[in-house]
Amino acid sequence: MRIKEVQIRKMKMTMKSPFTTSFGSFLDKDFLLLEVKDELGNTGWGESVAFSAPWYNEETMETNLHMIRDFLIPLVVDREINHPDEVNELFKPIRKNNMAKSAVEGAIWDVYAKRNKQTLSKALGGTKDQIDVGISIGIHEKTEDLVKTVRGFLDEGYKRIKVKIKPGFDVEVMRELRKQFPDVPLMADANSAYRLSDIELLKKLDEFDLMMIEQPLASDDIIDHAQLQAELTTPICLDESIHSLEDTRKAVELGSAKVINIKIGRVGGLTEAIKIHDYCMEKDIPVWCGGMLESGIGRAHNIALTTLPNFILPGDTAGSSRYWEEDLISPEVVAENGVITVPNRYGIGYDINWDAMERYTVDRWTYKAE
Ligand code: OSB
Ligand code: MG
C-alpha cells in the first residue's frame, strides 16, 4: 500500500454543554482531522485528540499540525507500507508527540482495513459486535445539579458513571452520589489534582465502594501512585501517566494501578494500544477505552478498539448526542441502554456527513506524492 495524498483539516465545533475537569473547562472544540488516500483511491480518516491548550498533556492542536506536516507526513507519503504496525516503527525515531502520531496512524489503519474489505474492529483483532459504555460527567458547582445529570444519564442506560473530582469537590460529592445511587457502578477521575500528602482525604473515598479512582496524582508519576495504591482499597486506574507499553509494564510491576485507561491518542496509536491491551490481558489487568471528547471519527476508532477481549470495563465512548448537535459521521454513534452496536461496514464503519464536515472545517492543507 502507498499513501499518495494526505489532507489535514482544522475543525471548529461547539459542544452542547461545557465539560469541566480539574484542569479546565471545554465548550469549543478545535481539532485536526486527517484524510489519507492510497494508490487505489481508498480513503482513511484519523482524528488528533490534542486540545487547543496543553492542559491534559503537552500537545496542542498547533503542535500536532507542526509535527504532522513537517515530520510525520514525509515519513509515510509514497512509502511502501504493508501493514499499519510498520507506521509505529517508522515513527519511533520521533520522540513523544503521541497524539500527532496517532492521528496519522489511525487514518492508515482505516484505509488498510478498507482495502482489505474488513471492519477496523476485525483488522485490529476485535471479537465483540456490541460494546458496553459508560459516561464521564464534568464537575458541577452544585451537587444537586450533578445528581440530576447523573440520573438523566442512568435513565438513558449508561452502564457506569464516572464523575470528575478536584479538591473541594470530592468526598462529600461522592458521599451524596453513593447515597442517591447505592448500586450504580461509580468511579471518580481526578485528572492529577492531588498529591501524596492528600492521602488521608483520598482514603476516605474507600467508603463509597468505587470501581476505581482515575489518575489521582501527578500526570507524570507512577512512584507515588504505587505508594497510594498500597494504602487504598479502591483500585487506582492510570490515564495521563501511561504513554506506551513500557510505561504500562513499569506501572503494573510497581503496583501503581490495578486498571488501565487506554486512550489511542495518548499512547501514539492503535498498534501501541493493542500491545498494552495484550500485556494487560496476560497480567489480569482489566482495561477500558478512555475518551477525549472526540468527534465521530475518533469515536469510531475507540469503538473498534473496544471490541478487543480485555476491554472488560465500560469505556467513556458515549453516543454522539452526548456531545454534539450534529456529528461528522452518518449514521451517528448511538448508545442504546448503554450498548453501542459495532458497525459492520469496512474500515471505521461510518460514512462522512459531508455537509457537517464542510460546515465545521475552518482550514485545510493537502500534501501529494510527487
Ligand atoms: O481524563 O478522561 C479524561 C475529557 C477531556 C480530557 C480528559 C478526560 C476527559 C473525559 C471525557 O473524562 C471523556 C469523553 O467523554 O470523551
Ligand atoms: Mg481521565
Side-chain angles (χ1 to χ4, degrees), residues 53 59 93 179 246:
E59 297 184 77
K179 192 174 131 203
E246 272 298 279

Side-chain angles (χ1 to χ4, degrees), residues 155-279:
D155 289 346
E156 285 185 44
Y158 284 102
K159 301 264 185 195
R160 70 99 169 95
I161 299 291
K162 157 171 149 183
V163 296
K164 296 290 187 180
I165 56 169
K166 67 174 184 180
F169 292 84
D170 42 39
V171 177
E172 292 316 312
V173 174
M174 298 315 293
R175 187 187 308 285
E176 182 61 20
L177 288 176
R178 190 39 100 205
K179 192 174 131 203
Q180 298 285 338
F181 309 105
D183 304 319
V184 162
L186 184 65
M187 59 176 286
D189 184 0
N191 288 106
S192 299
Y194 299 91
R195 294 295 166 262
L196 194 53
S197 54
D198 297 314
I199 191 159
E200 290 311 317
L201 182 148
L202 294 167
K203 274 179 168 171
K204 291 189 185 144
L205 296 172
D206 277 342
E207 240 184 275
F208 310 125
D209 189 29
L210 304 181
M211 298 170 79
M212 67 194 92
I213 172 168
E214 185 178 344
Q215 196 72 36
L217 307 181
S219 65
D220 55 1
D221 170 78
I222 55 171
I223 307 289
D224 286 356
H225 278 102
Q227 213 173 317
L228 178 63
Q229 181 67 89
E231 304 270 331
L232 290 186
T233 54
T234 307
I236 291 176
C237 169
L238 287 177
D239 173 355
E240 281 90 329
S241 296
I242 301 294
H243 312 99
S244 61
L245 171 62
E246 272 298 279
D247 285 352
T248 310
R249 179 184 64 76
K250 290 168 190 170
V252 169
E253 285 182 7
L254 279 172
S256 321
K258 293 180 178 164
V259 181
I260 300 291
N261 165 337
I262 299 182
K263 286 183 182 169
I264 305 165
R266 195 190 65 234
V267 305
L270 286 160
T271 295
E272 195 73 16
I274 295 169
K275 290 184 189 177
I276 295 171
H277 164 274
D278 293 352
Y279 170 82

Side-chain angles (χ1 to χ4, degrees), residues 19 21 23-24 26 29 49 51 56 134-138 160 162-164 189-191 214-215 239-240 261 263 266 288-294 299 302 315-318 322-323:
F19 186 89
T21 69
F23 59 78
F26 299 85
K29 184 98 174 22
V49 298
F51 297 121
Y56 169 82
I135 190 126
S136 174
I137 301 173
R160 70 99 169 95
K162 157 171 149 183
V163 296
K164 296 290 187 180
D189 184 0
N191 288 106
E214 185 178 344
Q215 196 72 36
D239 173 355
E240 281 90 329
N261 165 337
K263 286 183 182 169
R266 195 190 65 234
W288 54 278
C289 185
M292 291 287 281
L293 311 171
E294 289 94 342
R299 201 161 294 282
N302 290 344
D316 277 347
T317 308
R322 187 260 183 280
Y323 311 86

